Amino acid sequence: MAADVAVVVEHLNGTIAEVSFEMLGQGKRLAAALGGKLRAIVLGRDARAAAEACGTADAVLYVEHEALGGFDPEAHGKALAALCAESAPAVVLVGNSSKGMDLAPDLAVALGVPVVTNVGAVAIEGGTIVATSRLYGGKIHAEVQVAGGRAVLSVLAGAFPAEAGKSDRPAAVEGVAPPADLASRIAFQRLIEPEAADVDITKEDVLVSVGRGIQDKDNLEIVQELADALGCPLSASRPLVDLGWMPKSRQVGKSGVTVKPKLYIAIGISGAPEHVQGMKDAATIVAINSDPKAPIFDVAHYGVAADLFDVVPALTEKVRELKG
Ligand SMILES: Cc1cc2nc3c(=O)[nH]c(=O)nc-3n(C[C@H](O)[C@H](O)[C@H](O)COP(=O)(O)OP(=O)(O)OC[C@H]3O[C@@H](n4cnc5c(N)ncnc54)[C@H](O)[C@@H]3O)c2cc1C
């Protein structure tokens, strides 16, 4: 059985995505369990600098080509498939990101191996790959035993510690020629940078964060009053930003920002992995949710399983009272 592990490294503007370090750390453990080596794969117009930052891997293969500059899933898919077909790793780890969600299924088809998506845990048990897929926003954890000994796994950001994948060791990099055919039907247009933030929520000690449980834009006043009483800004889960109720700069999570306040109060937020990824390192997490089984309670230090429309005004009153 092929026993090596490959990690597809994501990078943008010279910065490697945290999920890639998380996968490198986990990939190292998997490779050891399989008795194989860990390879990192880096694609891009300028991929070498990112490749050199992957010292955790036993070998780093990088492919540079103009067609791999912006994110073009077809061109990236072809380059990736060519590399993986040649080195035949047992496990390929791809981030469950916007890019990875495009790449992982295509790569699995190209290699003729199964794909497991939304992976939050993975182990080798008796030589078998066992992956846990977190479905429906983390409400269902499906344990999957992969037959055949090979798989592509798309890994949720935040599932593994990034530190384990970071190393000062010089990386053993090797430039690989791109495949002759990188032709694509997709044309990358441009990268849209996020708008400048009114408030930098990553620097705040206290955050009141609101989710879809608030039900209506007009109800935001209730949580804004609590934030005002505490003297902190309001942040939000992604749906509220998608609805245009809150600015993008206030979005916590995978496609927003990562925050580490001393206190994070999550109100009407279910605790989907993409949200939790951005706030799980807060020193104290308080969750208010009417569903006692909401996944947010798995990361909360204090939980109130009740209707936010009862709890939040009472909490605001109490804070005002205490502050005099
Ligand atoms: C690629 C990708 C990136 C993503 N990036 C992000 C991201 O950066 N940030 C992010 O947040 N999400 C992100 N998401 C979306 C994420 O998967 C979830 O859909 C989202 O976090 C859910 O938001 P929510 O918890 O506000 O809403 P819901 O999941 O709908 O939860 C609402 C919660 O409110 C509770 N509730 C309802 N009424 C009340 C009440 N009266 N009182 C108390 N509680 C109540 C419910 O029990 C429920 O738990 C991303 C998804 C993808 C696929």
Side-chain angles (χ1 to χ4, degrees), residues 124-195:
I124 306 298
E125 292 176 11
T128 302
I129 304 162
V130 181
T132 305
S133 184
R134 293 187 193 155
L135 305 170
Y136 297 102
K139 288 197 176 89
I140 295 176
H141 290 198
E143 198 176 274
V144 182
Q145 294 195 1
V146 183
R150 292 187 67 193
V152 175
L153 309 179
S154 73
V155 177
L156 290 167
F160 305 110
E163 285 315 308
K166 293 180 181 171
S167 168
D168 293 335
R169 217 175 59 148
V173 300
E174 184 190 334
V176 179
D181 173 24
L182 282 182
S184 169
R185 291 160 297 178
I186 296 164
F188 176 79
Q189 295 294 317
R190 70 191 170 104
L191 177 71
I192 302 170
E193 299 281 359
E195 75 239 38

Side-chain angles (χ1 to χ4, degrees), residues 210-224 234 239-240 243-246 267-268 308-309:
V210 57
R212 197 147 48 185
I214 198 71
Q215 294 165 21
D216 194 288
K217 190 179 182 188
D218 290 343
N219 295 336
L220 283 174
E221 203 179 323
I222 301 168
V223 280
Q224 185 65 60
L234 208 55
L240 270 64
L243 284 162
W245 297 358
M246 292 285 290
I267 302 172
L308 74 88
F309 297 102

Side-chain angles (χ1 to χ4, degrees), residues 96-98 101 137 139 210-215 236-240 251-257 267-275 288-291 294 306-309:
N96 199 75
S97 59
S98 313
M101 280 192 281
K139 288 197 176 89
V210 57
R212 197 147 48 185
I214 198 71
Q215 294 165 21
S237 66
R238 178 169 165 170
L240 270 64
Q251 183 187 318
V252 174
K254 176 180 183 158
S255 47
V257 295
I267 302 172
I269 293 177
S270 60
E274 294 86 0
H275 185 82
I288 302 168
N289 195 304
S290 51
D291 175 4
D307 192 320
L308 74 88
F309 297 102

Side-chain angles (χ1 to χ4, degrees), residues 289-314:
N289 195 304
S290 51
D291 175 4
K293 292 194 174 142
I296 192 73
F297 290 125
D298 296 341
V299 291
H301 302 96
Y302 300 94
V304 186
D307 192 320
L308 74 88
F309 297 102
D310 295 331
V311 178
V312 176

